[in-house]
Amino acid sequence: MARALPSNKRAIQLAIFIAFELNSLSGFLFGYDIGVISGCLIMPDFVNRFGELGSDGEMFLSSSRQSIITSLLSAGTFVGALGQAFTSDRFGRRGSILIWSAIFTIGVAVQTGTTFSLAQITVGRFIAGLGVGALSAIVPLYNGETAPKALRGTLLVLYQLQIIIGIFLSYILDLATHKIPNSASWRVPVGLQLVWGLILLSGIFFLPESPRHLLGTGREEEARKVVAELNGVPEDDPLVEEIVEELAFGINAENEGGKATWLECFSTRNNLWKRTGNGMMLQFIQQLNGQNFYYYYGDTFFQSAGTELSPYVIQVILGAVSVVGTLPALRLIETWGRRRSLLTGAVLEGACSLIAGLVGHYTLAPSGTPKELLTKTNRAGGDTLIAFAVLHVFSFSIFWGPTPWVYLGESFPLRVRAKSIALGSATNWLWNFLLSFFAPRIAADIGPLILLIFFGMLLFGYIYVYLFIPETKGLSLEEVDEMYRSGVKPWNSASWKPHLTDQLHKEHKESVVVEESEKQSA
């Protein structure tokens, strides 16, 4: 039978649906939920409802209450990122997305229905965080297993783009509603998440299950249907047979030795310890790039430059820069590759951190200095710091924002994939929490010099990527597994060629020869 071309109207529609239903909505929820609360914390109605009475008779939201409200999301995301590993293996990738999307929607409903209860809104944040953290791990897992290898990086970058768009739109909505003199000022931006969650819940029924998960659980016929659908060819097409054989070959090799445990993620088998460590390390370095510090405290630096922009406007500016910066990554991730993107990003962001930290330390006026007392040097230094803050955020969005998620989604064999991705995502959320908790205290002591800490981390990141992160561009997940087993040096990995497909073709050819000889002898 002649092989059909792997493209038709249905295949294209399905690819678009996966990209914009799963990536857009789950990524959007991820980013939107992170961004929306920062604006709510300074809205008058929110402060009056969940704050406490000050000595001057005015309601205020103390730093401890702000910490509780914001950090409970991070606590939930950490638990959810680990918890999805159990549901992804037990109920499948598609079923797991459904479960955690429902949990997220419940958490949003709890928050939106709050009147004056601090406990209720924090519990709602925690429940929503469970869903956000789980989806942050499942979506790279699902994309990595479902997308064609030529598009896998682009789809994972699209997920990061939707996170940034979610943050950006939450800032715009905060800006649009913060002057409403009642609870609608914060209920509208928070409650809109119910709409996104319900759309995701309904749309997931139209997505296929991961063919690798189906084969790994012995459901070969279902896997064939999904492979045929994803490639837009009939089920009896030779292309389907070839893809299923290649997947089955890799999965059978992975599954030798029984069911995987959490400890196996750090075993020497197939260099799993190195792969899990790389995924966790990239997430750790990503959180300490310094960009989050600009998001949290950029308004202070902007005010030091003499600007009258409100915190809401500052957030919108940084959000817009992030969105624009992520767009080139959709192409660069497949043209430049993973290693080159990370190395370039470390250099550019490191330079921005170094310059901004030193300029800020030596030229900015002390915090709280009246605007009319700012000198020409203060204003020039502030302008310089603002420029490099924007460049830093822009560079992060192109390189270190999406690439660690792409790498995390394509680096692990099926038997430990859910667990290893869970560990990487949990690392991201753990350091996100630690950064938001400790950064204000450190900045209060050393000011802009905190940016030199991020410079040191980016310098470390460059060295780490060069020595330990191999290039995975253009490889199937099974070929990534083969590359790690081959022991190729990371700095030589860009020129490495896989042999898995050649071996499959050789075995297939030998089996055909044997069958023909048996027929002739009969």
Side-chain angles (χ1 to χ4, degrees):
M1 178 180 177
R3 177 185 295 183
L5 292 176
S7 95
N8 66 8
K9 185 177 179 180
R10 172 58 180 157
I12 294 172
Q13 288 174 342
L14 188 59
I16 292 173
F17 190 78
I18 291 174
F20 289 95
E21 163 66 22
L22 182 60
N23 284 337
S24 296
L25 284 173
S26 58
F28 185 88
L29 288 177
F30 182 179
Y32 187 94
D33 194 68
I34 294 170
V36 75
I37 196 64
S38 60
C40 294
L41 292 175
I42 54 177
M43 291 180 180
D45 186 85
F46 192 90
V47 173
N48 289 334
R49 288 173 181 271
F50 307 111
E52 48 196 317
L53 191 65
S55 57
D56 58 356
E58 297 289 330
M59 297 295 293
F60 76 104
L61 204 58
S62 65
S63 58
S64 61
R65 292 202 175 195
Q66 290 186 38
S67 177
I68 291 172
I69 294 172
T70 55
S71 64
L72 259 290
L73 175 76
S74 295
T77 53
F78 178 80
V79 176
L82 293 174
Q84 65 78 31
F86 299 97
T87 60
S88 292
D89 287 338
R90 183 177 179 83
F91 302 108
R93 288 28 170 169
R94 182 171 169 268
S96 191
I97 292 171
L98 181 67
I99 291 169
W100 293 105
S101 297
I103 290 173
F104 170 83
T105 305
I106 292 170
V108 173
V110 172
Q111 293 178 70
T112 308
T114 308
T115 52
F116 293 94
S117 173
L118 179 65
Q120 182 176 339
I121 198 167
T122 52
V123 168
R125 293 278 294 166
F126 180 82
I127 296 172
L130 293 173
V132 171
L135 289 171
S136 74
I138 299 172
V139 173
L141 170 67
Y142 181 88
N143 271 335
E145 292 184 348
T146 307
K149 60 184 180 182
L151 296 176
R152 187 176 63 237
T154 300
L155 287 177
L156 287 167
V157 172
L158 181 62
Y159 174 61
Q160 171 69 15
L161 174 62
Q162 293 302 325
I163 294 174
I164 298 299
I165 290 176
I167 294 174
F168 177 50
L169 290 183
S170 73
Y171 290 163
I172 291 177
L173 278 168
D174 282 346
L175 175 63
T177 64
H178 76 280
K179 291 185 178 180
I180 298 175
N182 54 51
S183 64
S185 60
W186 60 271
R187 287 189 198 275
V188 169
V190 171
L192 272 177
Q193 295 173 99
L194 287 170
V195 178
W196 321 136
L198 291 173
I199 294 174
L200 181 59
L201 278 171
S202 60
I204 196 66
F205 290 101
F206 299 96
L207 292 178
E209 180 55 89
S210 160
R212 286 176 172 85
H213 174 75
L214 292 172
L215 282 172
T217 52
R219 296 148 67 184
E220 184 174 331
E221 286 305 312
E222 293 179 60
R224 288 180 181 276
K225 292 180 181 178
V226 173
V227 169
E229 190 175 23
L230 288 173
N231 289 275
V233 297
E235 286 184 45
D236 59 352
D237 190 84
L239 177 65
V240 175
E241 182 68 27
E242 181 180 316
I243 293 175
V244 170
E245 281 187 4
E246 183 178 341
L247 293 177
F249 180 88
I251 290 169
N252 290 335
E254 294 168 7
N255 287 337
E256 293 175 359
K259 188 176 180 181
T261 64
W262 286 92
L263 285 178
E264 187 175 336
C265 296
F266 300 97
S267 70
T268 56
R269 177 184 179 181
N270 294 340
N271 279 324
L272 287 177
W273 68 273
K274 183 184 297 183
R275 297 154 79 167
T276 302
N278 281 348
M280 295 175 68
M281 186 62 73
L282 287 181
Q283 295 293 326
F284 160 67
I285 298 170
Q286 185 204 54
Q287 280 302 306
L288 294 182
N289 262 222
Q291 83 290 341
N292 282 339
F293 182 78
Y294 288 123
Y295 276 118
Y296 298 150
Y297 309 107
D299 58 327
T300 301
F301 292 141
F302 277 55
Q303 288 167 0
S304 298
T307 181
E308 296 182 358
L309 294 176
S310 73
Y312 295 103
V313 175
I314 293 168
Q315 287 177 325
V316 170
I317 292 172
L318 291 176
V321 169
S322 296
V323 171
V324 173
T326 308
L327 294 175
L330 291 168
R331 178 165 177 78
L332 290 177
I333 196 69
E334 297 298 353
T335 54
W336 278 24
R338 287 53 160 162
R339 270 178 63 86
R340 188 176 177 187
S341 293
L342 291 171
L343 292 171
T344 303
V347 171
L348 293 178
E349 293 173 57
C352 291
S353 294
L354 179 63
I355 294 171
L358 294 176
V359 169
H361 176 69
Y362 288 110
T363 66
L364 289 188
S367 179
T369 301
K371 194 171 301 182
E372 59 273 12
L373 297 182
L374 294 177
T375 67
K376 185 177 180 179
T377 300
N378 296 150
R379 293 178 183 275
D383 290 340
T384 303
L385 192 145
I386 290 170
F388 281 96
V390 171
L391 285 174
H392 188 131
V393 170
F394 183 76
S395 300
F396 173 84
S397 300
I398 298 176
F399 302 115
W400 274 89
T403 308
W405 291 108
V406 172
Y407 188 86
L408 190 67
E410 62 187 13
S411 295
F412 309 108
L414 181 68
R415 59 184 283 109
V416 297
R417 187 167 294 143
K419 294 180 175 64
S420 293
I421 290 179
L423 290 168
S425 297
T427 301
N428 181 287
W429 288 111
L430 173 63
W431 285 97
N432 180 282
F433 168 77
L434 292 174
L435 176 69
S436 62
F437 185 81
F438 287 108
R441 293 162 173 78
I442 297 173
D445 290 336
I446 63 176
L449 288 179
I450 190 175
L451 297 176
L452 298 187
I453 297 176
F454 303 133
F455 166 74
M457 181 53 61
L458 287 159
L459 178 61
F460 167 75
Y462 183 95
I463 297 171
Y464 187 89
V465 169
Y466 183 83
L467 294 177
F468 298 108
I469 303 298
E471 182 56 71
T472 54
K473 179 188 72 171
L475 301 177
S476 70
L477 299 187
E478 289 67 36
E479 289 167 347
V480 171
D481 193 51
E482 181 190 351
M483 179 181 64
Y484 268 102
R485 292 200 307 268
S486 72
V488 64
K489 300 298 182 184
W491 50 88
N492 296 325
S493 58
S495 59
W496 180 84
K497 301 297 181 185
H499 302 89
L500 174 61
T501 303
D502 294 339
Q503 182 177 349
L504 279 172
H505 288 164
K506 180 180 178 181
E507 292 179 357
H508 181 70
K509 185 176 181 180
E510 290 174 351
S511 65
V512 170
V513 171
V514 171
E515 288 178 4
E516 289 180 351
S517 62
E518 289 177 350
K519 289 179 181 180
Q520 291 175 358
S521 61

